[in-house]
Amino acid sequence: MLISYNWLRELTGTRLTPLELRERLTMVGLAIDAVAEKDGDALLDVEVPSNRPDCLSHVGIAREVAVIESGRVRPPCSKPTRVQGHATDLMSVEIRDTDLCPRYAARLVRGVKIVQSPAWLAKRLEEIGQRPINNVADITNYVLHELGQPLHAFDFAKLSEQRIVIRRATGSEKLKTLDGVERALDANMLVIADAERPVALAGIMGGEDSQISIHTTDVLIESAYFNPESVRQTARKLGMDTEASRRFERGADCDNVLGAQSRCVELICEIAGGVATKDAIDAYPSPLRARSIAFSPALVESLTSLRVAETEMQRILTGLGIAHTEESPALWKCVPPSWRIDIERQEDLVEEIARHFG
């Protein structure tokens, strides 16, 4: 995955050079295959481990850089959004198969103007190997690479009855995807449908019939969490591999659904104009619970032979977003952040401390 040094510097204020970052990130388990200079920037080709989907974005890599330098990540900021009306008054969302889609959020932006992206946005995407399409599509792609959350923009006028239904396909349904290929679906594949037909392959690619064009004025912004195995099986069966599917297959951050959508909507209103609904329809019937891990600080030395001061352990854990409280002198309660799906037991916490200390 290509990471822009300039983008990282905006997020962290890093003082390390690209080559120094290559060395330091490799030391903490994020191997940098190459560093290439391009148009006043440096591109780091990061080899992201399969169990670290949180690092499939600039903010994800920025978190690691911030811990390395004892710094912090500067949250991306946008201009205030113009808002009017509530999403539930304009559309509806129904999840029929919650096992494959635990959460789905939809928000509407009306009165946009679809044109080419401003030069800064097009350049940033081109630098990391992404082809600019139009301002709204480019913003969804930009936020994906910034925050790691795949998003999709539908032309709202092309959705029958202004309905979104997340369901399994029927054996007879077909969908022509954005790449122009007509795909035969089966009953194990999850689709995003309107009142009549599928309009997107969930977590993989949108449909041609509902894509935005220069005639689009109202866009529905989708942000969701899809079952990783469901996305993986559908993508393999159809021979597809997309930026979205790569992230959903590994496991996206369910708690980032609304945050990434808000960031996308703010940028659309700023760049493409329009007025957003005051809120989103956030269908989330069974919220995921935060994980809690009992952690013994003494385990660090016993497993790694590293003598790490507790203050340093706390610095590393805090920098990685891992909340911790002292239950007793010998036992901490640690709560991994929603984006770290790979942290499940105290040995994982030991590994996190060891890779950033030693």
Side-chain angles (χ1 to χ4, degrees), residues 94-107:
E94 176 189 1
I95 305 177
R96 292 183 185 171
D97 293 289
T98 56
D99 58 324
L100 303 186
C101 178
R103 188 175 195 180
Y104 189 100
R107 193 171 176 188

Side-chain angles (χ1 to χ4, degrees), residues 87-297:
T88 51
D89 295 331
L90 301 165
M91 58 186 172
S92 66
V93 172
E94 176 189 1
I95 305 177
R96 292 183 185 171
D97 293 289
T98 56
D99 58 324
L100 303 186
C101 178
R103 188 175 195 180
Y104 189 100
R107 193 171 176 188
L108 188 63
V109 185
R110 292 167 288 173
V112 301
K113 184 175 181 180
I114 307 299
V115 295
Q116 289 185 340
S117 291
W120 71 265
L121 177 55
K123 181 176 184 290
R124 179 144 284 182
L125 291 176
E126 287 173 337
E127 284 180 347
I128 57 174
Q130 302 300 305
R131 178 177 64 88
I133 301 170
N134 59 56
N135 50 0
V136 171
D138 292 348
I139 289 166
T140 64
N141 201 12
Y142 178 86
V143 175
L144 177 148
H145 286 276
E146 179 181 64
L147 300 178
Q149 173 66 28
L151 302 155
H152 186 65
F154 294 98
D155 185 325
F156 189 59
K158 297 176 181 177
L159 299 177
S160 176
E161 298 182 16
Q162 286 68 59
R163 289 177 60 191
I164 287 289
V165 182
I166 303 94
R167 59 169 175 81
R168 284 175 167 87
T170 64
S172 61
E173 287 183 314
K174 294 182 179 181
L175 173 67
K176 182 178 283 189
T177 44
L178 288 170
D179 55 5
V181 177
E182 186 172 73
R183 304 180 185 278
L185 310 178
D186 66 40
N188 293 315
M189 297 178 180
L190 189 70
V191 299
I192 312 303
D194 60 13
E196 299 176 355
R197 71 209 191 285
V199 293
L201 275 172
I204 302 174
M205 186 178 289
E208 190 175 83
D209 289 345
S210 59
Q211 69 177 317
I212 58 177
S213 70
I214 58 172
H215 305 295
T216 300
T217 57
D218 302 338
V219 293
L220 184 153
I221 303 300
E222 166 195 283
S223 185
Y225 177 88
F226 298 113
N227 178 282
E229 186 59 30
S230 171
V231 175
R232 184 180 301 112
Q233 289 180 1
T234 298
R236 297 297 178 272
K237 187 171 290 188
L238 296 176
M240 302 178 74
D241 178 33
T242 65
E243 293 284 353
S245 68
R246 290 172 207 157
R247 287 160 176 80
F248 282 125
E249 285 177 19
R250 295 191 184 191
D253 178 3
C254 199
D255 283 3
N256 193 33
V257 165
L258 288 183
Q261 185 183 64
S262 293
R263 170 68 167 156
C264 178
V265 167
E266 289 166 0
L267 286 172
I268 289 173
C269 291
E270 178 182 334
I271 294 171
V275 179
T277 51
K278 294 179 181 178
D279 51 16
I281 295 177
D282 181 20
Y284 194 16
S286 301
L288 301 179
R289 294 183 178 180
R291 292 155 292 149
S292 177
I293 301 171
F295 172 64
S296 170

